[in-house]
Amino acid sequence: MATIEHWIDGAGTGGVSTRGAPVFQPATGRQQHTVLLGEPADVDAAVRAATAAFAEWGEASLSQRTKVLFAFRELVNAHSREIAEIVSDEHGKVLSDAAGEVQRGLEVIEFACGIPQLLKGGYSDQASAGVDVFSFREPLGVVAGITPFNFPAMVPMWMHPIAIACGNTFVLKPSERDPSSAGFVARLWQRAGLPDGVFNVVHGDKVAVDAILDHPGIAAVSFVGSTPIARYIHQRATAAGKRVQALGGAKNHAVILPGADLDFAAEHLVASAFGSAGERCMAISAAVLVGESDRLVDLVAARAAEVKVGPGRDPASEMGPVITAAAKERIENLITVGERQGATVAADGRGLKIPGYEDGFFVGPTVIDRVTPAMDVYTEEIFGPVLSVVRAADVDQAISMINSNPYGNGTAVFTNSGEAARRFQRGVHVGMIGVNVPIPVPMAYYSFGGWKDSLFGQSHIYGPDGVDFCTRAKVVTQRWPATSAFSEASLHFPTAR
């Protein structure tokens, strides 16, 4: 059984790690690897390598950096299927979904390839008599990324291409549940010509995370994961003087207004709720029906029953297992609790067994109707293939329901009314909004991030916010007087003339 090592200063290494954790194949329930769990000394070794590499990489020209970024983009594209297969085997998502994940990561790499344009400063000639003013942005130093299990390839690509393009060096702590893609990508960076030490990977658990948060050599930390951990990381890292972007959990609503195309809405609700087994921070987990629309519930339940659940490598599979046995148990328990609290299970995914994969961590698509905001299935972030259906009398009640929720990551509205859509998008307190688009993940040249308990700190991830997060600005005011000229200085506060 293979052991997954760290990647530090351009080479795989066991470091000082003596602890390990099993990496399962969710479709079979069997262990396939062991991943090393890093100690503070391993984090320190990675930071020291990144610090040494920053001395040259931070001074590399934009042309040099761009050349490496373009080469990296081509390598990721050429090996996208291999990356998708690694993700599918360790996460469980179907191969087509994993391929889509890699493609969205590629889009951020392509955005980072435009770094010469993104780092252009400003210039004001003759701001005052004989005085010019200009601005530019510099890299921070060592940036760290702590990433979740649900997108083991894409979310790190939201971070490290932009950080590296901006001239920083990077230390990645991927999820210990599906860690292998990080090492594969590290080798692609090396083949692209990235100097050793610029990109490093330290595997681990909370021990490694805390070492990253406390390490004085790390200037900034980027995190995507659950809200309690995002809050913890933001508090601890900012207390250590670091710049932090911490994206937390979600409870995303889709509002279906009267007059909407119900067949269209049902298709997209099923796709957004059950794709990747619901293990997406932008998955729709609550459908809000405005007015009576039992027909939509019937449509969604019927389509949920038709979803082909199976192992990720099977081309016939549309949805794979959840990540762990513990996740499966928690999801099924929440469905049971919802039923006890008075909800109606319209499509039941509990107890699902796939022939030949009886030990896999499978939960079938589940639709729970007549859910109220007081029920656990509504208040908890289930992070599984469960769609709760709640009812609202009108659009104002639906907006109020969304705004009362502590999360503010994403939301969607299904409608044929432009006026209603505009009213909705201006009224909801949510960072990312879809109009007849159920998973409104912004393109790479915008930025991703929510409001309220879905974001800690001010910075969204990737896009323009990502460039700002990974750099800091300088403004230079300069004068070049003629050597023969006499310039009289004043003790008064300087003003333009």
Side-chain angles (χ1 to χ4, degrees), residues 324-470:
T324 62
K328 170 182 168 70
E329 181 180 7
R330 178 179 176 275
I331 294 164
E332 292 186 337
N333 285 342
L334 279 166
I335 297 168
T336 300
V337 169
E339 196 171 32
R340 290 173 182 168
Q341 291 176 337
T344 301
V345 179
D348 195 345
R350 289 171 293 184
L352 179 64
K353 296 292 183 182
I354 305 299
Y357 296 89
E358 287 80 5
D359 295 327
F361 311 139
F362 292 96
V363 180
T366 299
V367 180
I368 309 179
D369 193 13
R370 303 293 174 180
V371 171
T372 69
M375 294 180 180
D376 289 5
V377 290
Y378 181 84
T379 59
E380 294 284 331
E381 186 186 15
I382 299 176
F383 223 61
V386 179
L387 178 66
S388 298
V389 181
V390 294
R391 309 297 177 110
D394 52 38
V395 67
D396 291 328
Q397 186 181 12
I399 292 172
S400 177
M401 186 182 300
I402 293 169
N403 292 346
S404 297
N405 195 274
Y407 299 109
N409 210 45
T411 189
V413 61
F414 289 92
T415 181
N416 287 327
S417 167
E419 184 278 331
R422 192 170 190 276
R423 181 178 175 188
F424 178 85
Q425 67 196 32
R426 293 182 64 83
V428 292
H429 301 164
V430 176
M432 293 170 285
I433 300 164
V435 177
N436 297 315
V437 176
I439 306 179
V441 177
M443 298 301 292
Y445 38 85
Y446 285 86
S447 295
F448 178 105
W451 289 13
K452 300 186 287 186
D453 283 356
S454 294
L455 178 72
F456 297 85
Q458 298 302 312
S459 178
H460 290 185
I461 201 167
Y462 70 72
D465 280 16
V467 175
D468 288 348
F469 178 76
C470 292

Side-chain angles (χ1 to χ4, degrees), residues 182-244:
F184 189 94
V185 168
R187 288 167 173 82
L188 296 184
W189 269 121
Q190 188 176 62
R191 288 175 56 188
L194 190 71
D196 292 344
V198 176
F199 181 74
N200 306 274
V201 179
V202 177
H203 299 289
D205 52 11
K206 187 176 183 296
V207 172
V209 169
D210 286 346
I212 288 171
L213 302 181
D214 296 339
H215 200 292
I218 294 175
V221 176
S222 183
F223 171 81
V224 175
S226 69
T227 286
I229 305 303
R231 181 182 288 111
Y232 170 81
I233 282 176
H234 183 260
Q235 291 174 346
R236 185 158 179 163
T238 53
K242 304 186 192 313
R243 185 178 292 196
V244 185

